[in-house]
Amino acid sequence: MNRYKFSVIIEKDEDGYYALVPELKGCYTHGSSYEEVYERIQDAIRLCVEDQIACGEAVHQFEHVSLTMVELAV
């Protein structure tokens, strides 16, 4: 069994929480709490990786991830 490490972005808005994985196109989910979305994104990642392996595709992982906020006036 291989171990993988992915970056996960979790955002909160008025409808709850939204999570996405930049390395895995189309891998995202939502939940009503942080804990719920965290559990759901783990399941989504597992399904995406299992699907890529089953299709013979490489599982891409970023070597380094940098996250920053940019504030500007327009």
Side-chain angles (χ1 to χ4, degrees), residues 29 33-44 46:
T29 191
S33 69
Y34 185 92
E35 293 77 14
E36 181 180 32
V37 79
Y38 189 83
E39 288 180 21
R40 287 184 174 186
I41 199 64
Q42 288 180 71
D43 291 337
R46 187 173 295 107

Side-chain angles (χ1 to χ4, degrees), residues 5-39:
K5 189 183 289 189
F6 297 100
S7 55
V8 175
I9 298 171
I10 299 177
E11 301 177 66
K12 183 179 185 331
D13 64 17
E14 62 276 352
D15 296 323
Y17 291 82
Y18 176 81
L20 65 99
V21 181
E23 294 96 323
L24 301 172
K25 302 284 188 224
C27 187
Y28 59 89
T29 191
H30 68 280
S32 58
S33 69
Y34 185 92
E35 293 77 14
E36 181 180 32
V37 79
Y38 189 83
E39 288 180 21

